[in-house]
Each structure stands twice: as structure tokens, then as C-alpha cells.
């Protein structure tokens, strides 16, 4: 018997990998378009176009234009992109790590852990020794959020993984427990908080980009940027992990290092996003899921596409939140929940078998 | 060469392997046979450093502990007894996961050829989870083939370690896959395969190691190892090793069944 392989006869239909790569370009263009709309939108009626024409003609901008576009809308735009990308990529990485499409930092308590870290920093930050306070400075809240997210991811992974198999049921239940614990501790902190701290705390519950400033961008931006970029290198490893930890290691991936990298990435991105924008839900689960339906689960393309689509959708939600009851604005967390929750239910309805408990 | 010396494995308090010695040469198909629970998978897991073990394992003259995970994957591919897959990947996507950087030629063509070699040409865009059990097993095998596509690289042989590669295949595909493995060995690579089908083993394997209760009972060229005594001792039942006169291949018959078979037809009588 001989093995004859005739490649000519092998059918070669359009691969969805090609589509996934083309999606990088389309999603980047979409993000650019939404970014421009975001910069042009606001209650003051300051026109981006007028300002652009002035810049091109070399005319000076009015103080109003400078403040509105450069100091209010621009940091908000950058923060929106960073937070949207961070949430979507964290979701995709976490789903790859847990080998389950329902793992999402927001759902399983990582967001709550990060929020608790941030709240602790807000309320108890003043009690820190001066030299520590000076050392971390403005970064105290994001760093605390990162630690909270990191700790809860590790607890979650330890509790729900036995012999390389992660139980979704355990994961969701552990997430509920972590969320409840974080909520309870936050409740205690609310009692001891003063008025200014209370206002800061309320912001966590709702989630908003309204407080965007350049200093927040400088704190969260680099952390999220590094985490999102680093996650792009996890693609091949996460693909291999879909075959199980043993096979991933046979394929040449150091599984322990891969998992640690994934956990740190999720914690950094989620922690930083939560620190600057509070609890914004559903981006992390809806975006990767939509992309998997459209272009497949290959993490090599999924992660970048998730970053782009996550940023786009969050900016869109932010625009809606600013316009719908203008001149007041709705917290963006409400918008993503109102739009995201039905999509999430629809996902569950379509794929009931998805959660093998 | 893959050599293992004095491999001991215990899981909890229970000893599973009691000092197993094992050798496999490149250019040969080396089979590991033995009854259920005898420790074949455990031995393979020790050879692939998947579990805690003591002793010494060398691949191509180097301790496996001295390899980095990435370098080890460059010299050997592993097919587990049972494989899982999360997420709805297509067949070609799964096979591509075996591709490594540094492969010669068009990587996509390699993946397609590997699929064609296991009889899955045209299955590229099917969802992996929608394949039958045997088809899934062959797709995983194609992934393994991709990982060690060239049997020899820079004079260094590469290895396939396979746990029951043909367990759920029909006889035609069993032959196809075994020929694939033979071909890989002929071109200078090394194959280690855990097998249950003794006749197929006798037909294809060059060397065989029989394991029973965590010990090596016999090891060497198939014809020397497959004797009535060693087989019967390993499997705790009466077995007879015969030789087909035409091509000198061994074939194994259970003693009780032999009378049953001879009652039914001449085919076996002719072969014997
Ligand atoms: N994780 C484990 N915990 C406890 N015992 C185990 C474990 N894995 C294997 N064993 C025991 O080790 C022994 C050898 O198992 P192994 O899987 O190596 O058998 P095998 O020869 O591959 O059998 P089969 O032909 O059924 O695949 C068996 O008795 C089994 O019960
Ligand atoms: Mg076995």
C-alpha cells in the first residue's frame, strides 16, 4: 500500500482565518470613524470641524475650544479606547485560560475584586505611611485595583481548577462568593467614608468615563497598553491550551508560565480599567463571543479583533450615554448593561449547551 | 535514541511502574503492549515528562530535564490516549496548531498534506467537534504529523509518541495510519506506539516491549518477544503466536477461540 497525496485535488475554500485578518483592517477603520464622532460629540456645541479648520489655517483656537477638545474630549476618547480594549481582551484571555466562553472578569468576581482594591485605596489610602503614599502617588488606586483583580483571579483559578480541568459551575459560584465578599467589605467602607470619598465610591457602582482627565490617562493608559500588547503574544499559547494543558506543553508551551502571564494580563487590564471607569459590564463577554461567531475562536486573530471591537463598542456606548439625555449624561455602565445583557441572554438562548456544568 | 532507565512511578501510595527499562531507536517502530491498567500510558507519560517519575529518560542522548519545553517540542510530538478540545475550531485550525516555526516550505500545504495522509482530505473547514470519534483521532494524528513533519532535521531524528493511535479506527484506516508510521520511521524518524491489536503490532512494529503489572516482561524484536509463554503470562490467558508462512509475519490467536474459529470457517485454517 502506498500513500498518494494529491494536493491538486484538495479543495481549498476560503478560510475564515483570511476573514479574521481582514477584520483587523475593517475594525481599525471603524474604530477610527467612531473616534472622530466621539471627539465631535458633546453638550457644549464646540465644533471639532471648526477647530480643525483653524488648526489647518494656523489660526489660534479659543480657550473654550482648547479646553473642550483637548482637555475634556481627548482624554475621554483615549480612556474609552483603553478601557474598551482592556475589557474585551481580558474577557477573551480569561475565556482562553479557563477554556470556557462564559468566563468574564466582570461575571466571575475579578472586576469586583479590582473594585474592592480601588475602594480600599480611596477610603484607607490616607492611612498609608507617607513614604509609600509619595512613592505610588496618583497610581495608588489603579495599583490597588490591579492587586485586587490579581488576587481574585488567582483565588478563582485555584478554587475552580482540579487536575487541569476547570469547572464552570464552581467558577461562577466562586465568582458570586467573591463578589458578595467584595460587596460586603465595600459596604463596611462606605460607613467609614467621608463625603468626598462617598462621591468617589458611588462612581464605582455605575461605571463612567465622565471623570476622564489626562492624569487618569497617564496612569491607566500605559498599564492597559502594555497588558493589551502583551496579550497579543498569548494567542498561540491559548490556542494550544484549548487542547488541554498536557497537549499544550507537548506543543512546546510552558503551561505554568502561560497561565501566569494570562492571569497577570487579565488582572492588570481589568484592574486599570476598573480603577478609572468603575464597573462596566458585558463588553468582556459579548465582544469575544460575537467575534468567535464571525471569524472563529483562533486567538491569534481574536485578541487583536477583540481589542478593536471592544474599544469601538465602548466609545459608541459612551456617545450614546452622552447624547441620550443631554445635556446630562447617563453612566456608561447602564448603557452597556442595557445593550449587553439582552445580547448575553440571546447567546445563552442560542447555545444552551455552552455551559456544561 | 530514546532510552529510559529504571523508571518508577507511584500515584499516591500506589506504585504503578516498578523500574521499567525501555529503548527505542530511530528508523524503527517500537510498540508497547500489555493489558489494561498495566502501565503503558503511565510509561508514555513518564517519557513525555507529564507526571512525576524517578529514573532517567534521554532523548537523542540528552536528559529530558535538560531540554526547554519549546526545544523538546521540536524533537518529539505526542498523541494522548484521550484528547479534548475547547471552542469550535475547524479541523484545519486544529491541525495548524501542530505547525511550528522553522518548517520548510508552505506551512498551510504541510497542514493539508498531513490531513490527506490520515485520509481527511477535504475535511479542512469542518468543525472538529462535529467529526466522528475515529475522524477526530485521525485529525489529532495529523496535528502530530505536522509537529514533526521532517523525520530528521540537521541529522537529528524526531519522534512520535502515540498512545493507541488506531484504537477507534476501522481496519482500513488502521492500516493507513500504521503505514504512515512505518513510512515516518523508514525516513529516519522514531515512532513509539502503545498498541492493543497484537496482530497489527506484529505486522508493523520492529521492536516491542510487553508490560504487565508495571514491569517489563519481554522486550526486543517482535518475533522473539511474541511467544506463547510471554503473551500468555502478560495477558493472563492462553494465547498462541503463529507465523504466516508466506510473509513470516506473526499472528496471535487465543487458544479457546481457535477451536471456535475453526468451527466457523476455512479462512483461518488457510492462513494457519
Ligand atoms: N491518576 C491516577 N490516579 C490513580 N491511579 C492511576 C491514575 N492513572 C493511572 N492509574 C493507575 O495506574 C495503572 C496504570 O494505568 P495506565 O493508564 O498506565 O494503564 P494502561 O496500560 O495505559 O491501560 P489501558 O490499556 O487501559 O490504556 C492503572 O492501574 C490505573 O488505575
Ligand atoms: Mg492507556
Amino acid at each position: 500500500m502506498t500513500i498518494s497525496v494529491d494536493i491538486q485535488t484538495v479543495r481549498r475554500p476560503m478560510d475564515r482565518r483570511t476573514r479574521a485578518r481582514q477584520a483587523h483592517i475593517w475594525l481599525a477603520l471603524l474604530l477610527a470613524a467612531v473616534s472622530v464622532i466621539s471627539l465631535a460629540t458633546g453638550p457644549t456645541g464646540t465644533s471639532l470641524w471648526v477647530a480643525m479648520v483653524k488648526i489647518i489655517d494656523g489660526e489660534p483656537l479659543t480657550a473654550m475650544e482648547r479646553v473642550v477638545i483637548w482637555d475634556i474630549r481627548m482624554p475621554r476618547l483615549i480612556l474609552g479606547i483603553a478601557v474598551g480594549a482592556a475589557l474585551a481582551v481580558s474577557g477573551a484571555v480569561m475565556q482562553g485560560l479557563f477554556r470556557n466562553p462564559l468566563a468574564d472578569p466582570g461575571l466571575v468576581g475579578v472586576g469586583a475584586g479590582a473594585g474592592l482594591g480601588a475602594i480600599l485605596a480611596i477610603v484607607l489610602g490616607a492611612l498609608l505611611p507617607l513614604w509609600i503614599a509619595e512613592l505610588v502617588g496618583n497610581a495608588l488606586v489603579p495599583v490597588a485595583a490591579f492587586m485586587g483583580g490579581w488576587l481574585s483571579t488567582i483565588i478563582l483559578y485555584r478554587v475552580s481548577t482540579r487536575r487541569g480541568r476547570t469547572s464552570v459551575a464552581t467558577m461562577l459560584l466562586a465568582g458570586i462568593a467573591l463578589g458578595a465578599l467584595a460587596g460586603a467589605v465595600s459596604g463596611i467602607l462606605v460607613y467609614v467614608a467621608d463625603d468626598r470619598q462617598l462621591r468617589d465610591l458611588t462612581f464605582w457602582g455605575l461605571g463612567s468615563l465622565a471623570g476622564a482627565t489626562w492624569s487618569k490617562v497617564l496612569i491607566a493608559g500605559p498599564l492597559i497598553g502594555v497588558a493589551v500588547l502583551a496579550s497579543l503574544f498569548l494567542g498561540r499559547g491559548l490556542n494550544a491550551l484549548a487542547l488541554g494543558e498536557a497537549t499544550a506543553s507537548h506543543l512546546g508551551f510552558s503551561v505554568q508560565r502561560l497561565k501566569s502571564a494570562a492571569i497577570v494580563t487579565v488582572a492588570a487590564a481589568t484592574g486599570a480599567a476598573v480603577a478609572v471607569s468603575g464597573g462596566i459590564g458585558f463588553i468582556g463577554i459579548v465582544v469575544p463571543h460575537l467575534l468567535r461567531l464571525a471569524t472563529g475562536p483562533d486567538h491569534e486573530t481574536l485578541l487583536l479583533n477583540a481589542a478593536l471591537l471592544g474599544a469601538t463598542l465602548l466609545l459608541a456606548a459612551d456617545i450614546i450615554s452622552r447624547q441620550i439625555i443631554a445635556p446630562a449624561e447617563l453612566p456608561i455602565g447602564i448603557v452597556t448593561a442595557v445593550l449587553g445583557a439582552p445580547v448575553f441572554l440571546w447567546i445563552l438562548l442560542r447555545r444552551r449547551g455552552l455551559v456544561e456544568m | 535514541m530514546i532510552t529510559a532507565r529504571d523508571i518508577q512511578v507511584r500515584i499516591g501510595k500506589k506504585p504503578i511502574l516498578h523500574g521499567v527499562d525501555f529503548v527505542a531507536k530511530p528508523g524503527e517502530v517500537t510498540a508497547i503492549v500489555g493489558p489494561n491498567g498495566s502501565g503503558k500510558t503511565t510509561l508514555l507519560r513518564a517519557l513525555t515528562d507529564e507526571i512525576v517519575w524517578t529514573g532517567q529518560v534521554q532523548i537523542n542522548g540528552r536528559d529530558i530535564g535538560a531540554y526547554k519545553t519549546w526545544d523538546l517540542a521540536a524533537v518529539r510530538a505526542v498523541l494522548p490516549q484521550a484528547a479534548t478540545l475547547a471552542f469550535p475550531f475547524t479541523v484545519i485550525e486544529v491541525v495548524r496548531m501542530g505547525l511550528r516555526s522553522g518548517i520548510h516550505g508552505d506551512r498551510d500545504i504541510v497542514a493539508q498534506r498531513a490531513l490527506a495522509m490520515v485520509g481527511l482530505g477535504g475535511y479542512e473547514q469542518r468543525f472538529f467537534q462535529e467529526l466522528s470519534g475515529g475522524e477526530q483521532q485521525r485529525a489529532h494524528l495529523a496535528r502530530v504529523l505536522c509537529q514533526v513533519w521532517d523525520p530528521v532535521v540537521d541529522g537529528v531524528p524526531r519522534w512520535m509518541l502515540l498512545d493507541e493511535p488506531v484504537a477507534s479506527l476501522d481496519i482500513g484506516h488502521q492500516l493507513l495510519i500504521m503505514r504512515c508510521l512505518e513510512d515516518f520511521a523508514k525516513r529516519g524518524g522514531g515512532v513509539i506506539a502503545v498498541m492493543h491489536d497484537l496482530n497489527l503490532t506484529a505486522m508493523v512494529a520492529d521492536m516491542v516491549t510487553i508490560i504487565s503489572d508495571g514491569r517489563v516482561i519481554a522486550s526486543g524484536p517482535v518475533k522473539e518477544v511474541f511467544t506463547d509463554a510471554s503473551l500468555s503470562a502478560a495477558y493472563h490467558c492462553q494465547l498462541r503466536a503463529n507465523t504466516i508462512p508466506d510473509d513470516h509475519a506473526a499472528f496471535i490467536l487465543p487458544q479457546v477461540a481457535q477451536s471456535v474459529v475453526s468451527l466457523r470457517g476455512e479462512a483461518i485454517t488457510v492462513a494457519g
Side-chain angles (χ1 to χ4, degrees):
Chain A
M1 196 154 111
T2 54
I3 303 159
S4 60
V5 178
D6 188 358
I7 289 302
Q8 252 42 61
T9 63
V10 175
R11 219 159 33 92
R12 222 176 164 176
M14 162 103 156
D15 209 309
R16 56 182 179 175
R17 184 178 50 173
T18 315
R19 227 184 320 148
R21 286 178 180 163
Q22 287 165 353
H24 292 334
I25 298 165
W26 293 119
L27 289 174
L29 290 175
L30 194 63
L31 176 59
V34 176
S35 298
V36 172
I37 297 174
S38 171
L39 268 188
T41 311
T44 56
T46 307
S47 167
L48 178 66
W49 318 122
V50 172
M52 295 277 269
V53 168
K54 279 189 186 169
I55 290 173
I56 291 166
D57 292 348
E59 281 177 47
L61 297 180
T62 64
M64 175 75 169
E65 282 164 341
R66 190 186 296 276
V67 167
V68 166
I69 293 174
W70 183 248
D71 288 333
I72 295 179
R73 290 185 194 166
M74 192 59 112
R76 186 168 188 152
L77 167 71
I78 296 175
L79 218 56
I81 291 174
V83 168
L87 294 176
V89 166
S90 305
V93 170
M94 191 128 181
Q95 285 143 28
L97 176 68
F98 280 84
R99 269 162 275 157
N100 193 288
L102 291 185
D104 170 63
L107 280 184
V108 297
V110 177
L116 178 60
I119 292 171
L120 274 171
I122 291 173
V123 178
L124 303 179
L127 303 179
L128 279 178
L130 205 60
W131 67 271
I132 296 186
E134 272 177 2
L135 193 70
V136 280
N138 270 343
L140 180 62
V141 174
V143 166
F146 164 72
M147 305 269 270
W150 182 59
L151 210 66
S152 33
T153 313
I154 286 184
I155 293 175
L156 202 66
Y157 197 86
R158 284 277 159 81
V159 171
S160 57
T161 307
R162 285 276 142 74
R163 281 207 220 106
R165 267 190 60 92
T166 303
S167 151
V168 201
T170 317
M171 183 182 68
L172 293 175
L173 292 175
I176 291 173
L178 280 179
L181 192 63
V185 178
S186 309
I188 296 171
L189 291 173
V190 167
Y191 272 106
V192 301
D194 61 34
D195 270 1
R196 194 189 56 81
Q197 290 168 339
L198 262 183
R199 228 179 319 114
D200 284 350
L201 290 185
T202 314
F203 157 92
W204 296 107
L206 300 171
S208 169
L209 290 174
T213 57
W214 278 114
S215 76
K216 279 189 182 170
V217 168
L218 286 180
I219 293 162
L223 197 55
I224 290 175
V226 169
V228 168
L229 281 182
S231 78
L232 299 183
F233 292 94
L234 298 176
R236 285 191 65 183
L238 290 177
N239 282 347
L241 210 54
L243 292 164
E245 291 190 8
T247 302
S249 120
H250 295 151
L251 284 169
F253 298 94
S254 165
V255 171
Q256 206 45 55
R257 225 183 302 157
L258 178 67
K259 289 196 294 191
S260 306
I263 287 176
V264 170
T265 304
V266 168
T270 308
V274 169
V276 292
S277 66
I280 298 176
F282 293 104
I283 297 279
I285 198 153
V286 168
V287 167
H289 190 87
L290 289 177
L291 287 170
R292 267 190 228 104
L293 285 179
T295 56
D298 182 351
H299 292 90
E300 283 194 70
T301 47
L302 179 70
L303 292 168
L304 180 54
N305 279 336
L308 294 169
L309 186 60
T312 307
L313 288 186
L314 197 74
L315 284 186
D318 186 47
I319 294 170
I320 294 174
S321 79
R322 280 188 275 165
Q323 289 304 99
I324 199 159
I325 50 168
E329 71 175 68
L330 213 57
I332 191 172
I334 293 178
V335 178
T336 59
V338 164
L339 297 177
V343 177
F344 185 55
L345 286 174
W346 168 73
I347 290 171
L348 290 177
L349 203 63
R350 267 186 88 250
R351 304 270 312 272
R352 264 176 252 236
L354 212 61
V355 207
E356 307 146 13
M357 291 212 172
Chain B
M1 267 296 248
I2 287 188
T3 52
R5 234 169 269 134
D6 193 28
I7 302 296
Q8 304 200 20
V9 174
R10 47 176 64 236
I11 297 178
K13 285 229 147 102
K14 191 176 157 215
I16 311 286
L17 294 181
H18 317 260
V20 169
D21 292 324
F22 177 81
V23 180
K25 291 200 222 54
E28 291 181 346
V29 175
T30 307
I32 301 172
V33 301
N36 289 144
S38 56
K40 305 180 297 296
T41 296
T42 307
L43 174 59
L44 213 64
R45 288 209 176 126
L47 295 178
T48 57
D49 208 12
E50 221 176 289
I51 49 170
V52 181
W53 51 278
T54 60
Q56 189 191 36
V57 177
Q58 291 193 326
I59 298 186
N60 297 338
R62 212 167 129 200
D63 277 349
I64 50 168
Y67 282 92
K68 290 210 174 72
T69 316
W70 187 250
D71 299 329
L72 203 53
V75 290
R76 63 107 182 85
V78 182
L79 182 76
Q81 187 166 6
T84 59
L85 178 68
F87 301 115
F89 284 99
T90 58
V91 174
I92 192 76
E93 285 167 348
V94 170
V95 175
R96 272 197 217 119
M97 288 180 199
L99 286 172
R100 303 174 50 80
S101 38
I103 211 163
H104 301 295
D106 185 337
R107 295 155 55 85
D108 285 351
I109 295 280
V110 167
Q112 289 211 324
R113 281 179 59 185
L115 267 179
M117 277 169 74
V118 299
L120 287 179
Y123 279 59
E124 286 83 356
Q125 307 301 332
R126 297 267 304 269
F127 282 108
F128 183 88
Q129 276 135 342
E130 288 172 6
L131 299 187
S132 76
E135 288 167 341
Q136 290 191 355
Q137 197 177 8
R138 283 186 280 140
H140 276 306
L141 207 67
R143 171 176 61 73
V144 167
L145 282 172
C146 273
Q147 194 182 335
V148 287
W149 185 247
D150 299 311
V152 181
V153 173
D154 301 329
V156 178
R158 298 163 109 194
W159 296 84
M160 287 199 264
L161 282 74
L162 315 167
D163 200 347
E164 302 191 19
V166 296
S168 50
L169 304 190
D170 65 77
I171 190 160
H173 284 114
Q174 286 188 345
L175 289 171
L176 177 75
I177 299 305
M178 292 318 283
R179 292 301 179 221
C180 251
L181 304 186
E182 251 183 342
D183 174 67
F184 183 81
K186 273 208 195 91
R187 292 185 291 133
V191 177
I192 298 174
V194 171
M195 299 286 295
H196 270 308
D197 187 328
L198 298 176
N199 290 303
L200 207 56
T201 307
M203 212 167 92
V204 177
D206 301 291
M207 303 295 241
V208 64
T209 295
I210 306 181
I211 293 190
S212 188
D213 293 328
R215 290 192 173 80
V216 174
I217 294 197
S219 162
V222 174
K223 245 177 275 173
E224 290 171 21
V225 168
F226 276 3
T227 61
D228 296 2
S230 63
L231 290 174
S232 302
Y235 289 96
H236 306 294
C237 63
Q238 289 299 305
L239 293 171
R240 266 196 39 205
N242 301 310
T243 308
I244 301 174
D246 297 345
D247 52 3
H248 305 287
F251 77 94
I252 288 87
L253 274 184
Q255 290 256 348
V256 250
Q258 195 179 29
S259 56
V260 177
V261 171
S262 55
L263 279 178
R264 270 201 282 163
E266 309 88 300
I268 296 297
T269 327
V270 172

